Amino acid sequence: MDGSAEIPVAPERRAGEILEWAGALVTPSLRTAVERLPDRIRHLAGCHFGWRDMDGTPQAGPQGKGLRPALALLSCQAVGGEPSAALPAAVAVELVHNASLLHDDIIDGDHMRRGRPALWASFGVPAGILAGDALFFLAVQVLLEAPPPLGGAGVGQLTGAVQELIDGEYTDTVLEDRPTVLVAECEAMASAKTGALFAAACGLGALAAGAAADRRDHLRAFGTHLGMAFQLVDDVLGIWGDGQYTGKPARSDLAARKKTLPVTAALATDGAPGRELAHLYCRDTPLSPAEVERAARLVDEAGGRSWALTEAQRHTTRALGHLTAVRPVPQGAADLAALAQVITCRDR
C-alpha cells in the first residue's frame, strides 16, 4: 500500500507521553510476570531490566522505550478495543524483545546495554543465554494464560514471529561473513529481525480487540513497515548517534564490520568511497579507531546515510497508509502516528 496517509501527525499527546502512559500500564504486569521465574533467573532478569543491581539492591536504572508494548495497546485501541485487553500481548512482546536483546548482546559481543553492563558481561555467557531462554518461554506462558483469542490464535502468532526473528538474527550473522551482500538481502534480514515483532505487537493488539481479519492485516503491515523504519534509523544511530542516547558504544557495529543497512547500501555503490569502504571491510586485521572513523565518513560519502534515512521515511509513509486503511478510531490513530513519526526522527 503506497498511498499517502490521512492520519494526523500532530496528535493530542506527545510521543513521550504516550510511551509513559503505556509503560505505566505494562510495567506492573511485566514485573509480576518476571516474579514468577525461579529465584536466580529472576535476579538475572531484574538486573537486565534495570530493576536491581548485581547485589539485588533495587534500582531505577534506564529501561527500554517500550515501543512494542505501546504498539500492542494502541493497536487494540485503534480498532475500538480497551487497551487493557491487549495487556497480555504487550507484556509478551516486551518479554520476547528483551530475550532477543540478551542473546543479541552475546552474539555481537556488546558489553553495554542501556548505558550499563550487558548481562552476560556481568554474569557470564551462560547466564545471558539462560535468562534469555527464560524470557522467551515466559512470554509464551503469559499469552497462553490470556483469555481467547490471545490465549489461542495469539500464541501461534507470537511464536511464528519469534521464529522469524530468530531466522533474521541468524541471517545477520551469516551475512557478516559474506564478502558481498545485496541490499535486498539485508532488507529481508532486517524485516525478519525487527519487523516481525513490530508486526506481531500490532496484530496481537488488534486480535485482542476482536478486529476483523482485514483490519488485523493492515495493522500487521503497519508494524512491519514501522519495524523497517526503526531498524534503518537504528543502524544510522549505531554509526552517527550519541552513545549516551543509544546506551551502546558508538560505531561498535562498524568496528565489528557488520553489514548494517547503511553500510550495505554504501558498499553497493560503484564510486571511490564505496570501493575504499569495501577494502576496509575485507581486511583480516582489526580496524584501528582512526579507520573506524574513516569508515563512518566513507559510508556517508557513498550515500549510505542519506539512503537509509530516505528509506526510513518511505517505510513510515507506507505504514501510515496501512493505518489509514484500518479505519481507526481517531485517538488511537493519532497516537500510533505519533510513534511512527518519532521513530523516523530519532536521528535529529
Side-chain angles (χ1 to χ4, degrees):
M1 181 153 188
D2 297 310
S4 60
E6 299 175 0
I7 302 296
V9 295
E12 296 176 17
R13 291 189 288 175
R14 297 190 305 274
E17 294 173 323
I18 296 166
L19 294 174
E20 185 177 352
W21 162 80
L25 189 59
V26 172
T27 300
S29 294
L30 179 65
R31 296 188 73 141
T32 296
V34 171
E35 284 297 314
R36 299 169 60 178
L37 294 171
D39 289 349
R40 280 175 284 196
I41 301 298
R42 182 170 67 242
H43 173 69
L44 294 174
C47 291
H48 166 72
F49 280 107
W51 299 336
R52 62 183 70 175
D53 64 14
M54 291 178 61
D55 297 325
T57 304
Q59 298 287 313
Q63 299 181 33
K65 290 175 286 294
L67 278 170
R68 294 155 190 81
L71 288 172
L73 299 178
L74 293 175
S75 293
C76 183
Q77 183 182 41
V79 291
E82 286 294 326
S84 58
L87 192 54
V91 171
V93 296
E94 185 69 350
L95 287 168
V96 166
H97 172 55
N98 280 275
S100 72
L101 295 182
L102 286 165
H103 289 176
D104 199 42
D105 286 343
I106 295 169
I107 293 168
D108 292 341
D110 286 336
H111 288 75
M112 299 297 293
R113 168 67 62 182
R114 295 169 181 161
R116 55 182 178 270
L119 190 75
W120 76 270
S122 296
F123 293 92
V125 169
I129 293 172
L130 294 171
D133 291 346
L135 295 188
F136 274 128
F137 283 101
L138 181 60
V140 174
Q141 186 177 6
V142 166
L143 213 53
L144 272 171
E145 294 171 354
L150 287 181
V155 177
Q157 292 182 23
L158 180 71
T159 55
V162 171
Q163 294 301 331
E164 195 173 349
L165 182 156
I166 291 170
D167 182 60
E169 290 280 5
Y170 178 62
T171 302
D172 193 14
T173 66
V174 171
L175 296 183
E176 283 185 49
D177 297 327
R178 291 246 310 267
T180 304
V181 175
L182 299 177
V183 172
E185 292 178 297
C186 195
E187 288 176 317
M189 174 272 294
S191 181
K193 184 176 77 168
T194 306
L197 193 56
F198 273 72
C202 296
L204 289 170
L207 183 67
D214 65 323
R215 301 178 89 189
R216 297 200 306 268
D217 289 344
H218 278 299
L219 276 168
R220 285 183 59 83
F222 168 80
T224 297
H225 285 291
L226 203 59
M228 279 298 298
F230 181 93
Q231 188 60 59
L232 283 155
V233 175
D234 210 54
D235 286 351
V236 168
L237 289 171
I239 300 175
W240 295 283
D242 185 343
Q244 290 187 331
Y245 172 80
T246 63
K248 297 175 67 174
R251 299 178 179 165
S252 58
D253 285 348
L254 272 183
R257 282 176 278 208
K258 290 195 64 160
K259 295 181 179 69
T260 61
L261 286 158
V263 168
T264 303
L267 289 170
T269 62
D270 193 34
R275 290 194 295 271
E276 185 179 344
L277 180 66
H279 175 72
L280 286 175
Y281 259 62
C282 288
R283 284 247 313 270
D284 292 331
T285 55
L287 298 181
S288 69
E291 287 171 329
V292 171
E293 293 296 318
R294 177 63 179 160
R297 289 195 296 274
L298 291 170
V299 175
D300 198 5
E301 291 171 10
R305 181 178 189 172
S306 61
W307 173 86
L309 294 176
T310 299
E311 282 296 292
Q313 188 58 63
R314 184 179 71 85
H315 279 288
T316 301
T317 299
R318 294 193 68 184
L320 293 173
H322 282 287
L323 183 56
T324 299
V326 172
R327 308 177 305 279
V329 300
Q331 185 62 64
D335 288 351
L336 283 170
L339 292 188
Q341 293 297 334
V342 80
I343 282 172
T344 315
C345 296
R346 285 179 301 151
D347 66 296
R348 291 163 173 74

